Amino acid sequence: MNYANLLTVVDNGILTITINRPDRLNALNKKTIEELSIVLKNAEGDDEVKAIIITGSGQKAFVAGADISEFANYTAEQGKALSAKGHVQLFDLVQNLAKPVIAAINGFALGGGLELAMACHIRIASDNAKMGLPEVSLGVIPGYGGTQRLAQLVGKGKAFEMIMTADMITTEDAYKWGLINHITTQENLLAKCTEMATKIISLSPSAIASAIRAVNANFQNGVNGFEVEIEEFGKCFATQDFKEGTSAFLEKRKPGFTGK
Ligand code: COA
């Protein structure tokens, strides 16, 4: 399928999605959010896709935020609706996808761009990247989950600092604070993400989907994550992957997981 603002390629089970609006520093306009939502939903149901990498086109930006030109004249109601729709359409979808999603942060990840990266399960950044939530400099707050996911990743104090100062931080600080998992060079970024995705997809897809649900449960209001873990742990015993994984271990051979 062809997309106006995305490039997609599937190779060895890994779908790489490149957000492709380089003249706008890959800013997330409505169309791009819509297309990301479609491609991710399709990927979830596509047996050929086992992991997903999201990156930005060009050398400069992952995503420089939501597209400011689209919402500059919005009313309070329109602003609320924009945020609510975005959560469901894209950011919660990414977080809860049953397949691993890695953000390859190749440059500026600001506002909605950092929020997209934070919704991903894993973040790897190139050493030129800059990250921040500059919304208060525009008179607004992060509205695609940033106030929640940033605090979950870096703690409340650092989250307040980043949000209140609107400052961009370097990859070194992002790494020290736990915002990103790894730093690499820009040239090596996709290779590093692919290497990690390849490792993950050699393991049990059904167990990984369970792990995503259990870890995410910790951050859902009114949900007891320990109970979800117990449920998901139990469900694993009914999978072919569990039979295969344990048999392969006992038979001293490599497992061949199917995700069933
Ligand atoms: N929404 C809409 N357009 C954006 C954008 C955004 N979030 N971020 C960048 N652009 C556009 C710029 O307006 C510019 O368009 P132009 O060529 O028509 O002037 C183009 O992308 C290139 O950006 P530019 O600002 O010229 O690049 P720079 O290297 O000087 O600065 C940034 C880079 C990222 C510091 C700067 O673009 C920026 O501050 N962007 C907005 C970040 C932001 O506030 N994001 C949160 C949004 S809620």
Side-chain angles (χ1 to χ4, degrees):
M1 189 164 165
N2 283 331
Y3 298 94
N5 299 329
L6 304 178
L7 303 170
T8 60
V9 56
V10 182
D11 190 19
N12 285 323
I14 301 165
L15 166 66
T16 301
I17 304 170
T18 305
I19 299 167
N20 189 32
R21 299 182 78 214
D23 56 328
R24 302 277 96 189
L25 302 187
N26 305 319
L28 295 177
N29 61 352
K30 277 190 215 155
K31 178 88 183 157
T32 308
I33 291 180
E34 208 176 281
E35 289 188 343
L36 280 165
S37 184
I38 292 169
V39 77
L40 287 163
K41 280 184 186 152
N42 288 345
E44 192 156 44
D46 182 347
D47 286 344
E48 211 195 319
V49 175
K50 302 195 185 323
I52 295 141
I53 296 171
I54 303 179
T55 194
S57 78
Q59 310 276 304
K60 202 168 162 182
F62 172 70
V63 170
D67 193 316
I68 298 166
S69 63
E70 275 191 349
F71 61 75
N73 296 320
Y74 273 15
T75 62
E77 287 72 29
Q78 287 173 309
K80 185 176 172 185
L82 178 76
S83 171
K85 188 170 178 191
H87 276 269
V88 175
Q89 202 176 16
L90 181 58
F91 297 83
D92 292 350
L93 175 71
V94 172
Q95 171 174 291
N96 297 315
L97 212 77
K99 298 179 180 179
V101 189
I102 300 176
I105 305 173
N106 57 310
F108 290 113
L110 303 174
L114 184 57
E115 290 173 302
L116 176 61
M118 291 193 294
C120 295
H121 304 124
I122 291 168
R123 284 153 293 285
I124 301 180
S126 55
D127 47 19
N128 65 308
K130 290 270 168 53
M131 283 156 263
L133 292 180
E135 283 85 349
V136 298
S137 70
L138 300 167
V140 67
I141 65 167
Y144 287 145
T147 60
Q148 307 303 297
R149 292 193 181 98
L150 185 61
Q152 288 164 4
L153 285 164
V154 305
K156 195 173 168 187
K158 290 292 186 196
F160 268 137
E161 181 180 333
M162 282 181 70
I163 292 168
M164 287 181 181
T165 63
D167 279 345
M168 292 183 211
I169 63 167
T170 60
T171 45
E172 286 79 20
D173 280 342
Y175 180 70
K176 268 192 282 178
W177 297 359
L179 180 54
I180 57 173
N181 299 62
H182 295 281
I183 306 175
T184 185
T185 59
Q186 193 162 51
E187 301 73 58
N188 195 44
L189 179 63
L190 283 181
K192 173 99 184 151
C193 293
T194 303
E195 186 191 340
M196 186 175 290
T198 303
K199 166 85 203 274
I200 294 170
I201 67 178
S202 72
L203 305 170
S204 159
S206 63
I208 283 162
S210 279
I212 291 170
R213 286 190 287 272
V215 173
N216 281 340
N218 184 41
F219 303 102
Q220 283 168 317
N221 272 341
V223 174
N224 182 325
F226 290 99
E227 281 170 12
V228 174
E229 182 187 273
I230 291 165
E231 282 300 313
E232 291 294 337
F233 182 80
K235 279 199 240 161
C236 292
F237 286 70
T239 64
Q240 288 173 22
D241 274 4
F242 175 72
K243 303 285 174 257
E244 172 61 11
T246 47
S247 307
F249 178 82
L250 295 172
E251 292 161 14
K252 300 192 185 309
R253 61 173 173 82
K254 260 186 92 178
F257 291 116
T258 59
K260 302 274 188 296

